Amino acid sequence: MKLKTKNLLTLAELSKKEFSQLIDFSIKLKRELKQGCNKPLLKNKTLTMIFQKPSTRTRVSFEIGMYQLGGYAINLSSNDMQLSRGESIEDTAKTLSRYTDCIMARVYDHYLLEKLSEYSSVPVINGLSDSFHPCQILADFMTIKEKKRKLKGLKLAWIGDGNNVCNSMIYGCSLSEMKMSIATPKGFEPKRNVVIEARKSSDIELTTDPFKAIKNADIVVTDTFTSIHDRDPKRTKKFLPKYQVNSDLMNHAKKDAIFMHCLPAKRGSEVTSSVIDGPQSVIWTEAENRLHSQKALLTFLIRA
Ligand code: CP
Ligand code: NVA
């Protein structure tokens, strides 16, 4: 299986069929790995990773994923590259394309990824920008499919900041025809053009009321109130206490609802320990699934 798109920058590049096939292939790779059958699908292929911002899960899961697929990953901090001394994105993209089979980059400004993919002849994957986090959403929908056995028709409630993860989550809901209700304070809504685009396939509701958003939800999701690129130190205060996912709020979702968080989390801020460490939380499966879903993505993008 090969994707039509060369790059994965937002998630909107995928068709509904491709999204569903990626998720099913991720689940297959996970099962095979657990059974001790690890196929070298990317033997001798290389991935170059560029990080402008810190990472635990993305870095480790991509590096180990490439290793398990029989390939190799190089990890570069942008500070160690000539980029930090003013070499252009264009020249960087053209140079890297002569060495490597794929580039994954975590950047501050999404525009940089667009430039990187424009000048690169090999696939470019967004490992988190200020606007989107598509790899997280692949792992999240894999997790939802494993836990709920289906995607279409479910309701997902997003509580808190309409941030980068939320923007890609909206595309995920639209690709799988899931309803999404998003509760944010005024001024912290997700990108307007993303909501408009997603509404062509799915019911995407925007509200300021977390209790309205969470009603009848099968999945409850939140994220940090202060992302790596956010600069306002008083930002978190604008969300508390109303947008914290605590047991009281969680009790208004469906009884069998699952709780998700991409991590890293701040317990006592966007979520209480009673929820994130409680029986409805699936955060460790979600984190593990970064590995399997990115292996599926790399295979679909790189393999001839
Ligand atoms: N969820 C996520 O992307 O984690 P890292 O920032 O640790 O990579
Ligand atoms: N919204 C968070 C996600 C981290 C994985 C951030 O951008 O920092």
Side-chain angles (χ1 to χ4, degrees), residues 123-168:
V124 174
I125 299 173
N126 178 1
L128 180 73
S129 68
D130 55 346
S131 303
F132 297 100
H133 197 3
C135 296
Q136 183 64 51
I137 299 320
L138 289 176
D140 288 2
F141 279 76
M142 175 190 175
T143 309
I144 297 168
K145 182 97 187 260
E146 284 180 324
K147 299 290 178 190
K148 297 284 175 192
R149 304 275 159 210
K150 62 169 189 175
L151 296 175
K152 191 173 173 177
L154 295 175
K155 178 181 175 183
L156 186 147
W158 177 279
I159 314 289
D161 189 13
N163 65 9
N164 42 12
V165 180
C166 181
N167 288 327
S168 284

Side-chain angles (χ1 to χ4, degrees), residues 1 7 9 18 62 79 89 146 151 157 159 163 168 170 183 189 201 206 221 238 240 253 265 298 303:
M1 172 72 202
N7 312 298
L9 303 191
E18 287 175 326
F62 264 108
N79 291 336
I89 280 292
E146 284 180 324
L151 296 175
I159 314 289
N163 65 9
S168 284
I170 294 171
E189 295 87 359
S201 306
L206 298 184
V221 193
K238 296 174 182 156
L240 288 172
L298 288 164
R303 213 162 170 230

Side-chain angles (χ1 to χ4, degrees), residues 209-245:
D209 181 357
F211 286 95
K212 185 176 177 203
I214 211 167
K215 193 164 183 259
N216 283 326
D218 299 282
I219 305 118
V220 178
V221 193
T222 190
D223 186 14
T224 178
F225 295 146
T226 307
S227 287
I228 310 171
H229 59 269
D230 289 323
R231 290 284 163 255
D232 177 7
K234 297 204 186 99
R235 206 173 192 277
T236 294
K237 290 204 180 109
K238 296 174 182 156
F239 294 86
L240 288 172
K242 189 172 169 185
Y243 296 92
Q244 182 184 70
V245 181

Side-chain angles (χ1 to χ4, degrees), residues 24-25 46 66-67 69 90 118 143-144 146-148 169 172 174 180 182 199 219 256 258 272 276 287 291 293:
D24 290 344
F25 189 52
T46 59
M66 276 307 279
Y67 174 75
L69 288 166
E90 180 173 348
E118 185 183 336
T143 309
I144 297 168
E146 284 180 324
K147 299 290 178 190
K148 297 284 175 192
M169 186 68 86
S174 132
M180 184 169 176
I182 304 159
R199 278 183 173 156
I219 305 118
D256 63 350
I258 54 171
T272 54
I276 196 168
L291 172 72
S293 55

